[in-house]
Amino acid sequence: MAIAGCAISVVCDLLGAALSDRIGLASDTISNLAAGKWDILSDLGIYAFVVGVLAVTIGLVRWRVSRWDWRLGTVLLVVLALDYTLIAAYEAYSTGEGMQIHYKLVYLMGVAFPLTVLLTAGQFYEIDRRLGIALYVGGVVWALAAPFLFVVPTGWDGLYERALAFGKLGWFVTMGVMIWRDPDIVRRVPEDERS
């Protein structure tokens, strides 16, 4: 489900940009697609991604890891799912104050996602050191890179945002693959860290 949700979100974005006569993948953000004629594809892609987020959440909870950082990371996944749902459901471009609320939701996502990656990376480090290090590095790089979206020239902000989205999808796909390969990884977790 996690991998399918990510794949559907990418297909919806690409299809929406292809069908629109005014959206470019490099020059227009994903939000620009949501403001146009093909906004249904943008919303559908986000909802599919929410299903993927919830699938990862359920999979990580099933691992029954009791570390505080892991538990907080899985709680933040629920926050992310709610945040994305609100972004898709709230018609930011049809009300006077819509963009202010949209930006607040985007800021929340910009904090919650890298925190989720960093909080769960410690347990992954115990399972596979290379993966743990990659997740720590990826979480920090994403957190540092995300704020620059707001200063990237408008001719390239769509490409920059999609690169950030690709990094995010990479984490969810990685989690989906790990959960699919080993849904009961708890046996590889030290007993004092199990719930």
Side-chain angles (χ1 to χ4, degrees):
M1 290 293 285
I3 298 167
C6 291
I8 291 169
S9 68
V10 171
V11 169
C12 286
D13 182 53
L14 294 175
L15 184 59
L19 291 173
S20 174
D21 56 358
R22 62 174 195 81
I23 297 294
L25 291 175
S27 60
D28 296 289
T29 65
I30 297 166
S31 297
N32 292 139
L33 177 62
K37 172 180 172 182
W38 296 101
D39 64 330
I40 186 68
L41 287 172
S42 180
D43 292 344
L44 179 63
I46 294 173
Y47 290 135
F49 181 62
V50 168
V51 171
V53 172
L54 292 174
V56 167
T57 306
I58 292 166
L60 295 184
V61 167
R62 279 195 65 217
W63 281 0
R64 301 184 301 277
V65 176
S66 63
R67 293 170 54 132
W68 71 268
D69 51 355
W70 182 271
R71 288 188 177 198
L72 183 54
T74 55
V75 168
L76 284 174
L77 281 172
V78 176
V79 171
L80 277 170
L82 179 59
D83 185 62
Y84 287 120
T85 301
L86 290 173
I87 287 173
Y90 189 76
E91 296 297 327
Y93 296 91
S94 62
T95 64
E97 296 183 357
M99 289 310 296
Q100 293 177 358
I101 294 171
H102 178 76
Y103 281 128
K104 287 177 183 175
L105 293 170
V106 170
Y107 297 150
L108 174 60
M109 178 272 300
V111 172
F113 172 69
L115 275 177
T116 300
V117 174
L118 294 170
L119 286 167
T120 56
Q123 184 61 57
F124 286 112
Y125 182 82
E126 298 298 325
I127 295 168
D128 182 332
R129 293 186 188 279
R130 288 178 299 172
L131 176 62
I133 291 169
L135 293 176
Y136 277 126
V137 171
V140 169
V141 168
W142 200 96
L144 294 175
F148 287 99
L149 173 62
F150 298 102
V151 297
V152 171
T154 55
W156 297 100
D157 59 351
L159 184 63
Y160 193 85
E161 182 187 36
R162 284 174 175 84
L164 289 171
F166 184 76
K168 185 187 308 174
L169 292 174
W171 185 82
F172 282 98
V173 168
T174 300
M175 296 302 103
V177 168
M178 291 193 69
I179 293 164
W180 178 70
R181 284 184 178 171
D182 200 347
D184 295 312
I185 205 166
V186 69
R187 57 181 156 40
R188 292 169 54 190
V189 175
E191 286 193 27
D192 60 337
E193 294 177 6
R194 302 177 192 175
S195 58

